[in-house]
Every structure is written in structure tokens, then in C-alpha cells.
Amino acid sequence: MPSFRQHIETLERWRRFPGVERLAGGVALTFDDGPDPDATPAVLDALDARGVRATFFMVGEQVEAHPELARSVAERGHAVGLHGFRHVEHDLLDDQRRDLQLCAEAVGAATGARPRLVRPPYGRFSAESFAACSELGLSPVYWSAWGGDWEPIPAERIADLVVRDLDPGTIVLLHDSAGYAYRESARPTAEAVPAIVATGREAGLDFVLL
Ligand SMILES: [Zn+2]
């Protein structure tokens, strides 16, 4: 988990650089860091099996490495957003606008989609990258619940962390790649999807696209 200080710093940035943290209703599942052959196919199958559509914030370099997977996400009815061309904190990038633009180009080439949503790595825009969003027609999206699935934790724990915060309007942060995390595989995230969906539906919640 991020340290308390890191988390507070992130929330301070959300105040300076506002984005969507919650919806008016429904629950939106979102998956960052893919597409990745390790777990994206399993996540797609888990969603399909339950008739849930989700939003995937893709990394441009992952899209270029696995364009067929990116296309499959879009073809199976999910929404595609941008997570940057490289998975690097925006403060550390030389040209932050260019990074978002390259990501949009990679996603467009692979899927034919023109993404309108962006979530920066670690949920942290810089002043420069936030300003670039409006120039590029991108709406910032954050989250209001997470599965802690950048850590090597089992599916049951991921589901527990998510469902305790599920209520109308929740945007759930999950990851369909372990490429930028502290775990070997993102498959536990795919394995957590059935329990998350079942618990949400028992509570009368609909799963919606952003
Ligand atoms: Zn990420």
C-alpha cells in the first residue's frame, strides 16, 4: 500500500487537479496498466461470464507490445482510457503532453477508439500534464475504492478490500497487469472479479461503464 504520506499527497493533488472520483450511481470497475497477456484475457473472460463491462486505462507501451489484446478489449464492449505512454510519474517526464499524445495514438492505432478519459500513473498529474488534458480533450478520472492489487495478495483479499467500499457511485481501481507492481502476476485480480460482482449485485448495485 502507499504510505499514509503518499496517500495524503495524492489527495492534495486531486484537489489541485480535479477529476471524476465517483459516479452518480452504479459501480464502475476500472483496470489499469494493461493490456498484458498475463491477466488481461482472464479479466475479460471473468467480466464476460458475468455480463459486466468495465473501463481499461491502458499504457501505450503495453498497447504497442500487445495491440491484438488492446483491440480485443474494445471489441468485447469495454471502454478504453489512457494511462500514459510510459508508466512514469508525470513530474519525472520531460514532455508530459507528448506522453499522453503518444498513448492516445497507440490506443487509436490498435483499437480505432479515440479515448476521452485519462488516469495518470499513481493518480498523480503535474500542472503541465493536467493542463494538457483539456488541450487534448481528455477528462481526468480517479477512483473511490481499490483492491490493493499492486501488492502480492490473494484474490480473496483483493475482493475484500473492494467490497467493503462498494456503494452507489463507487469507481473501483484494479490492475490487469503486474508490469508496474510488486507482484509476479495480475491473475489474482481476475480471480477476484466474480466475488466482487456477486457481492455488488447482492447489494442491488449495477456495474456500469464510465
Ligand atoms: Zn498504473
Side-chain angles (χ1 to χ4, degrees), residues 32-33 59 83 87 120-122 175 180:
D32 289 8
D33 294 1
V59 178
H83 196 43
H87 197 280
Y122 315 103
H175 298 83
Y180 311 101

Side-chain angles (χ1 to χ4, degrees), residues 162-181:
V162 170
V163 300
R164 66 179 185 181
D165 287 333
L166 276 191
D167 53 24
T170 304
I171 298 175
V172 180
L173 169 65
L174 292 164
H175 298 83
D176 61 324
S177 171
Y180 311 101

